[in-house]
Amino acid sequence: MAKRFQALNDLWQTVREASHDFRASTDIFPSFNVQQTAKTLELQAHGVKNGTENRPTKAARGLDEVEQRIVSQVEDEKKTSYQTLVDQFNLFSDRIRSLDFEGQFSMIRQVNASTFSEFKAAASEGVDQLHGLRRDLTEAEDEMDAFKKRHKLERAAKVSSGAHTGFKVSLIVFLLLLETVLNGSFLAKGSEQGILGGVTEAVTFAVINIGSALLLAFWCVRWLLHRNYFLKFLGLIGLLTYIGIAVFSNLALAHYREVSAVVVEGASQAALAALWANPVGLKDLSSWTLFGMGLIASLIAFIDGCLLTDPYPGYSGVQSRLDRRRSLYVTRRSDLINELRDVRDDHNEKVEEIIRDLNERRAEGRAIIHHRALCVDLFKEHQNQLERALNALLTIYRDANRAARTEEEPRTFSTPYKMDRIAPLKGLPDEWNDAELSKKIDVAQNELTEQIKQIRAEFELAIERYHQLDNLFPEGTNGQTQAQTA
């Protein structure tokens, strides 16, 4: 499921790669230096010179050559400043376009169109998987019900856990080794090879004693509990066989121990002859001890073999199949729920990050639009400052001219200059204003928030559909399955 929601992942990746680094600045239009310009244009000198010559004349209606140069100088500065404003506007437009609101909105619409259906498809796949597992579990439950009815069993089956089975097997191994060592120590009395020889001879007796008890208990004697009388008879034969082998092998071992103590060659034949002649004619207490220990070890192995699994033949196998299929079903349902939960949480985290990114983009877009409007106001004020500077330059020239004149000055000297203003655009025609942008972002965020709600609701519905399989395949008397829920 990790590769699902490609549209959402693409949108989320653009959020991770986004760079919101706009910084507002009001240091755009430099102040116009009146004194430096006056010095550059030599207004004082030109004013004195033209004033001495009484130029311009009293009847002059327009600006003289010096005044026109002043106006031209300021107008050039105004055009340069306007170009700076245009460059700023282009920078603002590029920055707004780099926020890619339209691309974000388009991807959000694509996400809303695909993500929900993909999540539903993932949930449906889970239902399909569980349907087969639940059917298998129902078959195992039917098998268990039929087995219990057929054999009239009302108790639960005894199924040993792995640790319990391991303990029982370890007990068998321990008994085998213990009897081998102990028997070897007793048999070493008549062995030319000492303890090592006694242990070697005892291995055969230990395997027969412990092995026969275990095998007969597990494969034969348990049939005594079966409802079929023929199988019960086979179990009885197995029990009698076990008793015979246990008594015979341990008596034979005890007789062999006594005979081997005094007879070096032909001890086996002598022991068998003594066994047939007088089975209980053991004369040494150690021989009876050896017989009792072997019989106890055999009995323990016999009981262990009977309890290695359920005493009733076949019952534990049916229960094991039921437990295995129930475990597969419950585990897979839990895994599917956890996978869906992880997908849901991952989806919600990414959507919430996208919503936060839209807020950041909105704040940056608003800052850009606000700063653009501020630049317009700054340019208007800058034009006012240029007009004041222009009139200050004219005043410097006219005062010098006026002081040097012998005739009356023209009426234009007392008239302030009115500079034409450039009215800049507040934005490009195809750009959104702040209100439109905020509205579109609110709509996109609401759609994403609604997407989270839909995914959450679909997750709850998927969990319900998973559990509805238990109603579609109701369990019988074997207990209800347990599963983790969200």
Side-chain angles (χ1 to χ4, degrees):
M1 292 188 183
K3 295 184 179 180
R4 297 184 184 275
F5 312 136
Q6 187 60 44
L8 177 64
N9 290 332
D10 292 342
L11 177 57
W12 178 68
Q13 192 63 35
T14 64
V15 171
R16 298 182 64 191
E17 296 173 353
S19 175
H20 308 291
D21 56 1
F22 174 73
R23 297 292 181 271
S25 174
T26 57
D27 187 16
I28 300 175
F29 308 110
S31 298
F32 189 82
N33 194 325
V34 175
Q35 297 301 325
Q36 182 63 39
T37 303
K39 182 178 180 180
T40 301
L41 295 178
E42 300 178 345
L43 298 183
Q44 189 74 27
H46 286 298
V48 171
K49 177 183 178 182
N50 289 343
T52 302
E53 297 174 358
N54 291 313
R55 291 185 294 118
T57 63
K58 178 183 178 181
R61 295 289 184 268
L63 302 177
D64 66 7
E65 180 181 352
V66 176
E67 291 173 321
Q68 289 179 359
R69 283 204 302 273
I70 294 172
V71 172
S72 176
Q73 183 77 15
V74 175
E75 286 289 341
D76 288 343
E77 180 65 24
K78 182 181 70 173
K79 293 177 181 178
T80 300
S81 298
Y82 179 70
Q83 185 59 48
T84 300
L85 179 65
V86 171
D87 294 340
Q88 285 291 314
F89 276 17
N90 291 332
L91 179 62
F92 294 153
S93 297
D94 291 341
R95 194 66 190 90
I96 289 177
R97 281 193 295 271
S98 71
L99 293 176
D100 193 23
F101 285 108
E102 187 59 50
Q104 291 288 302
F105 297 149
S106 176
M107 294 185 73
I108 288 172
R109 288 191 293 269
Q110 183 180 358
V111 165
N112 292 336
S114 63
T115 302
F116 182 64
S117 59
E118 289 184 30
F119 190 88
K120 289 183 64 176
S124 297
E125 290 178 7
V127 172
D128 294 339
Q129 294 180 33
L130 288 180
H131 188 277
L133 293 175
R134 189 65 184 85
R135 184 179 55 209
D136 294 341
L137 174 57
T138 301
E139 292 176 354
E141 291 168 347
D142 293 341
E143 180 187 14
M144 173 60 76
D145 289 339
F147 188 91
K148 293 174 70 173
K149 291 177 181 178
R150 184 167 61 253
H151 298 278
K152 297 183 179 180
L153 295 170
E154 297 181 356
R155 62 175 179 83
K158 297 180 177 63
V159 179
S160 299
S161 63
H164 190 244
T165 302
F167 172 76
K168 289 180 176 295
V169 172
S170 300
L171 179 60
I172 296 298
V173 174
F174 173 76
L175 289 174
L176 185 63
L177 294 176
L178 180 62
E179 186 178 9
T180 298
V181 172
L182 293 178
N183 290 349
S185 65
F186 280 104
L187 294 175
K189 180 179 177 182
S191 174
E192 295 180 350
Q193 299 177 347
I195 294 178
L196 180 61
V199 170
T200 303
E201 293 174 347
V203 169
T204 303
F205 289 101
V207 171
I208 293 174
N209 190 38
I210 301 299
S212 62
L214 181 65
L215 293 176
L216 288 170
F218 187 82
W219 294 107
C220 298
V221 178
R222 289 192 306 127
W223 292 102
L224 280 170
L225 300 177
H226 204 280
R227 296 191 58 81
N228 187 287
Y229 288 105
F230 176 73
L231 295 179
K232 282 180 177 291
F233 177 71
L234 292 180
L236 179 60
I237 293 177
L239 177 61
L240 296 176
T241 302
Y242 159 70
I243 295 174
I245 292 177
V247 173
F248 178 82
S249 62
N250 284 285
L251 279 175
L253 181 61
H255 280 282
Y256 180 75
R257 185 259 173 198
E258 283 193 346
V259 172
S260 63
V262 295
V263 178
V264 176
E265 296 183 0
S268 299
Q269 293 82 353
L272 286 175
L275 175 63
W276 292 118
N278 188 4
V280 295
L282 297 173
K283 301 175 182 179
D284 194 337
L285 180 61
S286 297
S287 299
W288 283 109
T289 301
L290 183 62
F291 171 75
M293 290 178 58
L295 204 58
I296 291 173
S298 176
L299 182 61
I300 293 175
F302 177 78
I303 295 174
D304 196 45
C306 289
L307 300 179
L308 195 60
T309 184
D310 191 274
Y312 197 89
Y315 199 12
S316 63
V318 176
Q319 184 67 53
S320 296
R321 287 191 292 274
L322 175 61
D323 292 344
R324 184 168 56 253
R325 293 186 181 182
R326 177 178 288 123
S327 178
L328 287 174
Y329 173 70
V330 172
T331 301
R332 186 54 186 154
R333 181 167 66 180
S334 177
D335 291 343
L336 286 171
I337 291 174
N338 290 333
E339 289 175 6
L340 278 182
R341 182 186 294 110
D342 292 341
V343 171
R344 178 201 64 185
D345 294 344
D346 180 62
H347 168 272
N348 292 349
E349 288 175 4
K350 289 180 179 179
V351 168
E352 289 170 358
E353 186 173 348
I354 292 167
I355 291 176
R356 288 194 298 270
D357 176 72
L358 284 176
N359 284 329
E360 293 176 2
R361 290 173 187 255
R362 170 163 47 185
E364 183 173 353
R366 182 177 296 161
I368 294 172
I369 294 173
H370 173 74
H371 192 62
R372 184 168 58 189
L374 179 61
C375 288
V376 172
D377 295 337
L378 290 175
F379 181 69
K380 291 179 180 178
E381 180 56 33
H382 183 62
Q383 290 187 102
N384 293 335
Q385 191 265 337
L386 288 178
E387 185 180 72
R388 290 192 295 271
L390 189 153
N391 282 291
L393 292 172
L394 289 176
T395 298
I396 293 172
Y397 167 73
R398 288 170 178 176
D399 286 348
N401 185 288
R402 186 182 293 115
R405 296 178 71 91
T406 57
E407 298 179 359
E408 291 186 27
E409 64 186 55
R411 294 180 60 183
T412 56
F413 273 28
S414 59
T415 303
Y417 184 84
K418 296 293 183 181
M419 187 180 69
D420 293 335
R421 300 294 199 273
I422 299 177
L425 295 175
K426 293 186 178 181
L428 299 179
D430 59 343
E431 287 183 351
W432 297 322
N433 57 39
D434 184 50
E436 293 173 337
L437 183 58
S438 296
K439 182 178 179 180
K440 288 181 176 291
I441 290 177
D442 288 338
V443 170
Q445 289 181 332
N446 290 336
E447 291 177 353
L448 290 171
T449 302
E450 183 63 27
Q451 181 77 44
I452 291 178
K453 294 180 181 178
Q454 290 180 342
I455 292 294
R456 184 181 296 114
E458 183 60 27
F459 174 76
E460 299 297 335
L461 180 60
I463 302 304
E464 182 180 351
R465 291 173 63 192
Y466 291 170
H467 288 290
Q468 284 177 349
L469 290 174
D470 292 333
N471 298 326
L472 182 61
F473 300 100
E475 295 188 271
T477 59
N478 299 303
Q480 296 295 320
T481 59
Q482 303 295 322
Q484 298 177 0
T485 58

